[in-house]
Coordinates of all heavy atoms in Angstrom, one line a residue:
M1 N 10.9 14.9 -2.1 CA 9.8 14.4 -3.0 C 9.9 12.9 -3.1 O 11.0 12.4 -3.4 CB 10.0 15.1 -4.3 CG 8.9 14.8 -5.3 SD 7.4 15.6 -4.7 CE 6.6 16.1 -6.2
A2 N 8.8 12.3 -3.0 CA 8.8 10.8 -3.1 C 8.8 10.4 -4.5 O 8.2 11.0 -5.4 CB 7.5 10.3 -2.4
D3 N 9.5 9.3 -4.8 CA 9.6 8.7 -6.1 C 8.5 7.6 -6.2 O 8.6 6.6 -5.5 CB 11.0 8.0 -6.3 CG 11.1 7.4 -7.7 OD1 10.1 7.0 -8.3 OD2 12.3 7.2 -8.1
K4 N 7.4 7.9 -6.9 CA 6.3 7.0 -7.0 C 6.6 5.6 -7.5 O 6.1 4.6 -7.0 CB 5.2 7.7 -7.9 CG 3.9 7.0 -7.9 CD 2.9 7.9 -8.6 CE 1.6 7.1 -8.9 NZ 0.7 7.8 -9.8
A5 N 7.5 5.5 -8.5 CA 7.9 4.2 -9.0 C 8.6 3.4 -7.9 O 8.4 2.2 -7.8 CB 8.8 4.4 -10.2
E6 N 9.5 4.1 -7.1 CA 10.2 3.4 -6.0 C 9.2 2.9 -5.0 O 9.3 1.7 -4.5 CB 11.2 4.3 -5.4 CG 12.0 3.7 -4.3 CD 13.0 4.7 -3.7 OE1 13.0 5.9 -4.0 OE2 13.8 4.2 -2.8
L7 N 8.2 3.7 -4.6 CA 7.2 3.3 -3.7 C 6.3 2.1 -4.3 O 6.0 1.2 -3.5 CB 6.2 4.4 -3.3 CG 6.8 5.5 -2.4 CD1 5.9 6.7 -2.2 CD2 7.1 4.9 -1.0
R8 N 6.0 2.2 -5.5 CA 5.2 1.1 -6.2 C 6.0 -0.2 -6.1 O 5.4 -1.2 -5.8 CB 4.9 1.5 -7.6 CG 4.0 0.6 -8.3 CD 3.6 1.1 -9.7 NE 2.4 0.5 -10.2 CZ 2.2 -0.7 -10.5 NH1 3.2 -1.6 -10.4 NH2 1.0 -1.2 -10.9
E9 N 7.3 -0.2 -6.4 CA 8.1 -1.4 -6.3 C 8.1 -1.9 -4.9 O 8.0 -3.1 -4.7 CB 9.5 -1.1 -6.8 CG 10.4 -2.3 -6.9 CD 11.8 -1.9 -7.4 OE1 11.8 -1.1 -8.4 OE2 12.7 -2.5 -6.9
Q10 N 8.3 -1.1 -3.9 CA 8.3 -1.5 -2.5 C 7.0 -2.1 -2.1 O 6.9 -3.2 -1.4 CB 8.6 -0.3 -1.6 CG 10.0 0.2 -1.6 CD 10.2 1.4 -0.7 OE1 9.5 1.6 0.3 NE2 11.1 2.3 -1.1
M11 N 5.9 -1.5 -2.5 CA 4.6 -2.0 -2.2 C 4.2 -3.3 -2.9 O 3.7 -4.2 -2.3 CB 3.5 -1.0 -2.5 CG 3.6 0.2 -1.5 SD 2.3 1.5 -1.9 CE 2.8 2.7 -0.7
I12 N 4.6 -3.4 -4.1 CA 4.4 -4.7 -4.8 C 5.2 -5.8 -4.2 O 4.7 -6.9 -4.0 CB 4.7 -4.6 -6.4 CG1 3.6 -3.8 -7.0 CG2 4.9 -5.9 -7.0 CD1 3.8 -3.4 -8.5
D13 N 6.4 -5.5 -3.8 CA 7.2 -6.6 -3.1 C 6.6 -7.0 -1.8 O 6.5 -8.1 -1.5 CB 8.6 -6.0 -2.8 CG 9.5 -6.0 -4.1 OD1 9.2 -6.6 -5.1 OD2 10.6 -5.3 -4.0
A14 N 6.1 -6.0 -1.0 CA 5.5 -6.3 0.3 C 4.1 -6.9 0.2 O 3.8 -7.9 0.9 CB 5.4 -5.0 1.1
F15 N 3.3 -6.4 -0.7 CA 1.9 -6.9 -0.7 C 1.7 -8.1 -1.7 O 0.6 -8.7 -1.8 CB 0.9 -5.8 -1.1 CG 0.9 -4.7 -0.1 CD1 1.1 -3.3 -0.5 CD2 0.6 -4.9 1.2 CE1 1.1 -2.3 0.4 CE2 0.6 -3.9 2.2 CZ 0.8 -2.6 1.7
G16 N 2.7 -8.3 -2.6 CA 2.6 -9.3 -3.6 C 2.4 -10.7 -3.1 O 1.8 -11.5 -3.8
G17 N 2.8 -11.0 -1.9 CA 2.7 -12.4 -1.4 C 1.4 -12.7 -0.8 O 1.1 -13.8 -0.3
A18 N 0.5 -11.7 -0.8 CA -0.9 -12.0 -0.2 C -1.6 -12.9 -1.1 O -1.3 -13.1 -2.3 CB -1.6 -10.7 -0.1
D19 N -2.6 -13.6 -0.5 CA -3.5 -14.5 -1.3 C -4.6 -13.8 -1.9 O -5.6 -13.5 -1.2 CB -3.9 -15.6 -0.2 CG -4.4 -16.8 -0.9 OD1 -4.2 -17.0 -2.1 OD2 -5.0 -17.7 -0.2
Y20 N -4.5 -13.4 -3.2 CA -5.5 -12.6 -3.9 C -6.6 -13.6 -4.4 O -6.3 -14.7 -4.8 CB -4.8 -11.8 -5.0 CG -4.0 -10.7 -4.5 CD1 -2.7 -10.9 -4.1 CD2 -4.6 -9.4 -4.3 CE1 -2.0 -9.8 -3.6 CE2 -3.9 -8.4 -3.8 CZ -2.6 -8.6 -3.4 OH -1.8 -7.6 -2.9
P21 N -7.8 -13.1 -4.5 CA -8.3 -11.7 -4.2 C -8.3 -11.5 -2.7 O -8.4 -12.4 -1.9 CB -9.7 -11.7 -4.7 CG -10.2 -13.1 -4.8 CD -8.9 -13.9 -5.0
I22 N -8.1 -10.2 -2.3 CA -8.1 -9.8 -0.9 C -9.4 -9.1 -0.6 O -9.9 -8.3 -1.5 CB -6.9 -9.0 -0.5 CG1 -6.7 -7.7 -1.4 CG2 -5.6 -9.8 -0.5 CD1 -5.7 -6.7 -1.0
N23 N -10.0 -9.3 0.6 CA -11.3 -8.7 0.9 C -11.2 -7.7 2.0 O -12.2 -7.0 2.3 CB -12.2 -9.8 1.3 CG -12.5 -10.8 0.2 OD1 -13.0 -10.3 -0.9 ND2 -12.3 -12.0 0.4
S24 N -10.0 -7.6 2.7 CA -9.8 -6.6 3.7 C -8.3 -6.3 4.0 O -7.5 -7.2 3.5 CB -10.5 -7.0 5.0 OG -9.7 -8.0 5.7
P25 N -8.0 -5.3 4.6 CA -6.6 -5.0 4.9 C -6.0 -6.2 5.7 O -4.8 -6.5 5.6 CB -6.6 -3.7 5.8 CG -7.9 -3.0 5.4 CD -8.8 -4.1 5.1
M26 N -6.8 -6.9 6.5 CA -6.2 -8.0 7.3 C -5.7 -9.1 6.5 O -4.8 -9.9 6.9 CB -7.3 -8.5 8.3 CG -7.7 -7.5 9.4 SD -6.3 -6.8 10.3 CE -5.7 -8.2 11.1
D27 N -6.2 -9.2 5.2 CA -5.7 -10.3 4.3 C -4.3 -10.0 3.9 O -3.6 -10.9 3.4 CB -6.6 -10.3 3.1 CG -8.0 -10.9 3.3 OD1 -8.2 -11.5 4.4 OD2 -8.9 -10.7 2.5
L28 N -3.8 -8.8 4.1 CA -2.5 -8.4 3.7 C -1.4 -8.7 4.7 O -0.3 -8.9 4.4 CB -2.4 -6.9 3.3 CG -3.3 -6.5 2.1 CD1 -3.5 -5.0 2.1 CD2 -2.6 -7.0 0.8
V29 N -1.8 -8.7 6.0 CA -0.9 -8.7 7.1 C 0.1 -9.9 7.0 O 1.3 -9.8 7.2 CB -1.6 -8.7 8.5 CG1 -0.6 -8.9 9.6 CG2 -2.3 -7.3 8.6
P30 N -0.4 -11.2 6.7 CA 0.5 -12.3 6.7 C 1.6 -12.2 5.6 O 2.6 -12.8 5.8 CB -0.4 -13.5 6.4 CG -1.8 -13.1 6.8 CD -1.8 -11.6 6.6
A31 N 1.3 -11.4 4.6 CA 2.3 -11.3 3.5 C 3.4 -10.3 3.8 O 4.5 -10.3 3.2 CB 1.6 -10.9 2.2
L32 N 3.1 -9.4 4.7 CA 4.1 -8.3 5.0 C 5.3 -8.8 5.7 O 5.2 -9.5 6.7 CB 3.4 -7.2 5.8 CG 2.3 -6.4 5.1 CD1 1.5 -5.5 6.1 CD2 2.8 -5.7 3.9
P33 N 6.5 -8.4 5.2 CA 7.8 -8.9 5.8 C 7.9 -8.5 7.3 O 8.4 -9.3 8.1 CB 8.9 -8.3 5.0 CG 8.2 -7.3 4.1 CD 6.8 -7.5 4.1
N34 N 7.4 -7.4 7.7 CA 7.5 -7.0 9.1 C 6.1 -6.7 9.7 O 5.9 -5.8 10.6 CB 8.4 -5.7 9.3 CG 9.8 -6.0 8.9 OD1 10.4 -7.0 9.4 ND2 10.4 -5.1 8.1
G35 N 5.1 -7.4 9.2 CA 3.7 -7.2 9.6 C 3.3 -5.8 9.4 O 3.7 -5.1 8.5
P36 N 2.4 -5.3 10.3 CA 1.9 -3.9 10.2 C 3.0 -2.8 10.3 O 2.8 -1.7 9.9 CB 0.9 -3.8 11.3 CG 0.6 -5.2 11.7 CD 1.8 -6.0 11.4
S37 N 4.2 -3.2 10.8 CA 5.3 -2.3 10.9 C 6.1 -2.2 9.6 O 7.1 -1.4 9.6 CB 6.2 -2.7 12.1 OG 5.5 -2.7 13.3
T38 N 5.8 -2.9 8.6 CA 6.5 -2.8 7.3 C 6.5 -1.4 6.9 O 5.4 -0.7 6.8 CB 5.9 -3.7 6.3 OG1 5.9 -5.1 6.7 CG2 6.6 -3.6 4.9
K39 N 7.6 -0.8 6.5 CA 7.7 0.6 6.2 C 8.0 0.8 4.7 O 8.8 0.0 4.1 CB 8.9 1.2 7.0 CG 8.9 2.7 7.0 CD 9.9 3.3 8.0 CE 9.2 3.4 9.4 NZ 9.9 4.2 10.3
F40 N 7.4 1.8 4.2 CA 7.6 2.2 2.8 C 8.2 3.6 2.8 O 7.7 4.5 3.5 CB 6.2 2.2 2.1 CG 5.5 0.9 2.1 CD1 4.5 0.7 3.1 CD2 5.9 -0.1 1.3 CE1 3.9 -0.5 3.2 CE2 5.3 -1.4 1.4 CZ 4.3 -1.6 2.3
E41 N 9.3 3.8 2.1 CA 10.1 5.0 2.2 C 10.6 5.4 0.8 O 11.1 4.6 0.1 CB 11.2 4.9 3.2 CG 10.8 4.6 4.6 CD 12.0 4.4 5.5 OE1 12.9 3.5 5.3 OE2 12.1 5.2 6.5
S42 N 10.5 6.7 0.5 CA 11.1 7.3 -0.7 C 11.2 8.8 -0.5 O 10.2 9.4 -0.1 CB 10.3 7.0 -1.9 OG 10.8 7.6 -3.0
G43 N 12.3 9.4 -0.7 CA 12.5 10.8 -0.5 C 12.1 11.2 0.9 O 12.5 10.6 1.9
D44 N 11.2 12.2 1.0 CA 10.7 12.6 2.3 C 9.4 11.8 2.8 O 8.9 12.2 3.8 CB 10.4 14.1 2.4 CG 9.4 14.6 1.3 OD1 9.0 13.7 0.5 OD2 9.1 15.8 1.3
F45 N 9.0 10.8 2.1 CA 7.9 10.0 2.4 C 8.3 8.8 3.2 O 9.2 8.1 2.8 CB 7.1 9.6 1.2 CG 5.9 8.7 1.5 CD1 4.7 9.2 1.8 CD2 6.1 7.3 1.5 CE1 3.6 8.4 2.0 CE2 5.0 6.5 1.7 CZ 3.8 7.0 2.0
S46 N 7.6 8.6 4.3 CA 7.9 7.4 5.1 C 6.6 7.0 5.9 O 6.0 7.9 6.6 CB 9.0 7.6 6.1 OG 9.2 6.4 7.0
M47 N 6.1 5.8 5.7 CA 4.8 5.4 6.3 C 4.8 3.9 6.5 O 5.3 3.2 5.6 CB 3.7 5.9 5.4 CG 2.3 6.0 6.1 SD 1.0 6.7 5.1 CE 1.4 8.4 5.2
T48 N 4.3 3.4 7.6 CA 4.2 2.0 7.8 C 2.9 1.5 7.2 O 2.0 2.3 6.8 CB 4.2 1.6 9.3 OG1 3.0 2.2 9.9 CG2 5.4 2.1 10.0
A49 N 2.8 0.2 7.0 CA 1.6 -0.4 6.5 C 0.4 0.0 7.4 O -0.7 0.3 6.9 CB 1.7 -1.9 6.4
M50 N 0.6 0.0 8.7 CA -0.5 0.3 9.6 C -0.9 1.8 9.4 O -2.1 2.1 9.4 CB -0.1 0.1 11.1 CG -1.2 0.4 12.1 SD -0.7 0.1 13.8 CE -0.5 -1.6 13.8
E51 N 0.1 2.7 9.2 CA -0.3 4.1 9.0 C -1.0 4.3 7.7 O -1.9 5.1 7.5 CB 1.0 4.9 9.0 CG 1.6 5.1 10.3 CD 3.0 5.7 10.3 OE1 3.8 5.4 9.4 OE2 3.4 6.4 11.2
L52 N -0.6 3.5 6.6 CA -1.3 3.6 5.3 C -2.7 3.2 5.5 O -3.6 3.9 5.0 CB -0.6 2.6 4.3 CG 0.6 3.0 3.6 CD1 1.1 1.8 2.7 CD2 0.3 4.2 2.7
N53 N -3.0 2.1 6.2 CA -4.4 1.7 6.4 C -5.2 2.7 7.1 O -6.3 3.0 6.7 CB -4.4 0.3 7.2 CG -5.8 -0.2 7.4 OD1 -6.5 -0.3 6.4 ND2 -6.1 -0.5 8.6
T54 N -4.6 3.4 8.2 CA -5.3 4.4 8.9 C -5.6 5.6 8.0 O -6.7 6.2 8.0 CB -4.5 4.8 10.1 OG1 -4.3 3.7 10.9 CG2 -5.2 5.9 10.9
K55 N -4.6 6.0 7.3 CA -4.6 7.2 6.4 C -5.6 7.0 5.2 O -6.3 8.0 4.8 CB -3.2 7.5 5.9 CG -3.1 8.7 5.0 CD -3.0 10.0 5.5 CE -2.0 10.4 6.5 NZ -2.3 11.7 7.0
L56 N -5.7 5.8 4.7 CA -6.4 5.6 3.4 C -7.9 5.2 3.7 O -8.6 5.1 2.7 CB -5.7 4.6 2.6 CG -4.3 5.0 2.2 CD1 -3.6 3.9 1.3 CD2 -4.3 6.3 1.4
G57 N -8.2 4.9 4.9 CA -9.6 4.6 5.2 C -10.1 3.3 4.6 O -11.3 3.3 4.1
G58 N -9.3 2.3 4.4 CA -9.9 1.0 4.0 C -9.7 0.6 2.6 O -9.4 -0.5 2.3
G59 N -10.0 1.4 1.6 CA -9.9 1.0 0.2 C -11.2 0.5 -0.3 O -12.2 0.4 0.4
D60 N -11.1 0.1 -1.6 CA -12.3 -0.4 -2.3 C -12.2 -1.9 -2.5 O -12.0 -2.4 -3.6 CB -12.4 0.3 -3.7 CG -12.7 1.8 -3.5 OD1 -13.5 2.1 -2.6 OD2 -12.2 2.5 -4.4
F61 N -12.3 -2.6 -1.4 CA -12.1 -4.1 -1.4 C -13.4 -4.7 -2.1 O -14.4 -4.2 -2.0 CB -11.9 -4.6 0.0 CG -10.6 -4.3 0.6 CD1 -10.4 -3.1 1.3 CD2 -9.5 -5.1 0.3 CE1 -9.2 -2.8 1.8 CE2 -8.3 -4.8 0.9 CZ -8.1 -3.6 1.6
P62 N -13.2 -5.9 -2.7 CA -12.0 -6.7 -2.9 C -11.1 -6.2 -4.0 O -11.6 -5.5 -4.9 CB -12.6 -8.1 -3.2 CG -13.9 -7.8 -3.9 CD -14.4 -6.5 -3.3
Y63 N -9.9 -6.6 -3.9 CA -8.9 -6.4 -5.0 C -8.5 -7.7 -5.5 O -8.2 -8.6 -4.8 CB -7.6 -5.6 -4.4 CG -7.9 -4.2 -4.1 CD1 -8.2 -3.9 -2.8 CD2 -7.9 -3.2 -5.0 CE1 -8.5 -2.5 -2.4 CE2 -8.2 -1.9 -4.7 CZ -8.4 -1.6 -3.4 OH -8.7 -0.3 -3.0
E64 N -8.5 -7.8 -6.9 CA -8.2 -9.1 -7.5 C -6.7 -9.4 -7.6 O -6.3 -10.6 -7.8 CB -8.8 -9.1 -8.9 CG -10.3 -9.0 -8.9 CD -11.0 -10.1 -8.2 OE1 -10.6 -11.3 -8.4 OE2 -11.9 -9.9 -7.4
N65 N -5.8 -8.4 -7.6 CA -4.4 -8.6 -7.7 C -3.6 -7.5 -7.1 O -4.2 -6.4 -6.8 CB -4.0 -8.8 -9.2 CG -4.5 -7.6 -10.0 OD1 -4.1 -6.5 -9.8 ND2 -5.3 -7.8 -11.1
V66 N -2.3 -7.7 -6.9 CA -1.5 -6.7 -6.3 C -1.4 -5.4 -7.0 O -1.4 -4.3 -6.4 CB -0.1 -7.3 -6.0 CG1 0.7 -7.5 -7.3 CG2 0.7 -6.4 -5.0
D67 N -1.4 -5.4 -8.4 CA -1.3 -4.2 -9.1 C -2.5 -3.3 -8.9 O -2.3 -2.1 -8.7 CB -1.2 -4.5 -10.6 CG 0.2 -5.2 -11.0 OD1 1.2 -4.6 -10.5 OD2 0.2 -6.2 -11.6
S68 N -3.7 -3.8 -8.9 CA -4.9 -3.0 -8.7 C -4.9 -2.4 -7.3 O -5.2 -1.2 -7.1 CB -6.2 -3.7 -9.0 OG -6.3 -4.8 -8.1
F69 N -4.4 -3.2 -6.3 CA -4.4 -2.7 -4.9 C -3.4 -1.5 -4.8 O -3.7 -0.5 -4.3 CB -4.1 -3.8 -4.0 CG -3.9 -3.3 -2.5 CD1 -5.0 -2.9 -1.8 CD2 -2.6 -3.3 -2.0 CE1 -4.8 -2.4 -0.5 CE2 -2.5 -2.8 -0.7 CZ -3.6 -2.4 0.1
V70 N -2.1 -1.8 -5.3 CA -1.1 -0.8 -5.2 C -1.4 0.5 -6.0 O -1.2 1.6 -5.5 CB 0.3 -1.4 -5.6 CG1 1.4 -0.3 -5.7 CG2 0.7 -2.4 -4.6
D71 N -2.0 0.3 -7.1 CA -2.4 1.5 -7.9 C -3.4 2.4 -7.2 O -3.3 3.6 -7.1 CB -3.0 1.1 -9.3 CG -2.0 0.5 -10.2 OD1 -0.7 0.7 -10.0 OD2 -2.4 -0.1 -11.2
D72 N -4.3 1.7 -6.5 CA -5.3 2.4 -5.7 C -4.7 3.1 -4.5 O -5.0 4.3 -4.2 CB -6.4 1.5 -5.2 CG -7.6 2.2 -4.6 OD1 -8.0 3.3 -5.2 OD2 -8.2 1.8 -3.6
V73 N -3.8 2.4 -3.8 CA -3.1 3.0 -2.7 C -2.3 4.3 -3.1 O -2.4 5.4 -2.5 CB -2.1 2.0 -2.0 CG1 -1.1 2.7 -1.0 CG2 -2.9 0.9 -1.3
L74 N -1.6 4.2 -4.2 CA -0.8 5.3 -4.7 C -1.7 6.5 -5.1 O -1.4 7.6 -4.8 CB 0.2 4.9 -5.8 CG 1.3 4.0 -5.4 CD1 2.1 3.4 -6.6 CD2 2.3 4.7 -4.4
A75 N -2.8 6.2 -5.8 CA -3.7 7.2 -6.2 C -4.3 7.9 -5.0 O -4.4 9.2 -5.0 CB -4.8 6.6 -7.0
R76 N -4.6 7.2 -3.9 CA -5.2 7.8 -2.7 C -4.1 8.7 -2.0 O -4.4 9.7 -1.5 CB -5.7 6.7 -1.8 CG -7.0 6.1 -2.3 CD -7.4 4.9 -1.4 NE -8.6 4.3 -1.9 CZ -9.8 4.4 -1.4 NH1 -9.9 5.1 -0.3 NH2 -10.8 3.8 -1.9
L77 N -2.9 8.2 -2.0 CA -1.8 9.0 -1.4 C -1.6 10.3 -2.2 O -1.4 11.4 -1.6 CB -0.5 8.2 -1.4 CG -0.4 7.1 -0.3 CD1 0.8 6.2 -0.5 CD2 -0.5 7.6 1.1
E78 N -1.7 10.2 -3.5 CA -1.6 11.5 -4.3 C -2.7 12.4 -4.0 O -2.5 13.6 -3.9 CB -1.6 11.1 -5.8 CG -0.2 10.7 -6.3 CD -0.1 10.5 -7.8 OE1 -1.0 9.8 -8.3 OE2 0.8 11.1 -8.4
E79 N -4.0 11.9 -3.9 CA -5.1 12.7 -3.7 C -5.0 13.4 -2.3 O -5.5 14.6 -2.2 CB -6.4 11.8 -3.6 CG -6.9 11.3 -4.9 CD -8.0 10.3 -4.8 OE1 -8.5 10.0 -3.7 OE2 -8.3 9.7 -5.8
Q80 N -4.3 12.8 -1.4 CA -4.2 13.4 0.0 C -2.9 14.2 0.1 O -2.5 14.6 1.1 CB -4.2 12.3 1.0 CG -5.5 11.6 1.1 CD -5.6 10.6 2.2 OE1 -4.7 10.4 3.0 NE2 -6.6 9.8 2.2
N81 N -2.2 14.4 -1.1 CA -0.9 15.2 -1.1 C 0.2 14.6 -0.2 O 1.0 15.3 0.3 CB -1.2 16.6 -0.8 CG -2.0 17.3 -1.9 OD1 -1.9 17.1 -3.0 ND2 -3.0 18.1 -1.4
E82 N 0.1 13.3 -0.1 CA 1.2 12.6 0.7 C 2.4 12.3 -0.1 O 3.5 12.3 0.4 CB 0.7 11.3 1.3 CG -0.4 11.4 2.3 CD 0.1 12.0 3.7 OE1 1.3 11.9 3.9 OE2 -0.7 12.5 4.4
I83 N 2.2 12.1 -1.4 CA 3.3 11.9 -2.4 C 3.1 12.8 -3.6 O 2.1 13.4 -3.8 CB 3.4 10.5 -2.9 CG1 2.1 10.0 -3.6 CG2 3.8 9.6 -1.7 CD1 2.3 8.6 -4.2

């Protein structure tokens, strides 16, 4: 079982360096420590940033800050029973 708080912390660390507001997933790539291969892991959950983008279908851009973006990502993962 994935720890949502742990994933949130990892995502905030990874996506926090982006230049907000962001208008597309491509705005996040320069901030990622390992680019699209940046991996998020907790419990039995493991997904790269590229896999997240594919799985989540884009998101509701623009996002004004890292918290609103990460909250949306986690909500979508929950809706899809990924976490």
Side-chain angles (χ1 to χ4, degrees):
M1 185 69 143
D3 181 338
K4 192 173 164 185
E6 182 180 6
L7 285 174
R8 188 174 203 291
E9 185 177 320
Q10 290 176 29
M11 290 179 184
I12 286 176
D13 286 347
F15 298 126
D19 197 11
Y20 288 87
I22 54 171
N23 295 305
S24 77
M26 293 308 295
D27 291 344
L28 295 164
V29 174
L32 295 171
N34 295 314
S37 298
T38 299
K39 193 171 275 195
F40 304 99
E41 299 178 300
S42 177
D44 57 358
F45 177 86
S46 178
M47 200 173 282
T48 65
M50 184 180 294
E51 290 169 323
L52 278 177
N53 184 49
T54 302
K55 176 86 51 192
L56 301 179
D60 295 323
F61 289 91
Y63 290 96
E64 297 299 318
N65 56 57
V66 68
D67 290 312
S68 62
F69 175 70
V70 170
D71 289 346
D72 192 40
V73 168
L74 291 172
R76 288 170 183 255
L77 287 172
E78 278 187 310
E79 287 169 8
Q80 295 180 12
N81 295 318
E82 294 287 341
I83 58 173

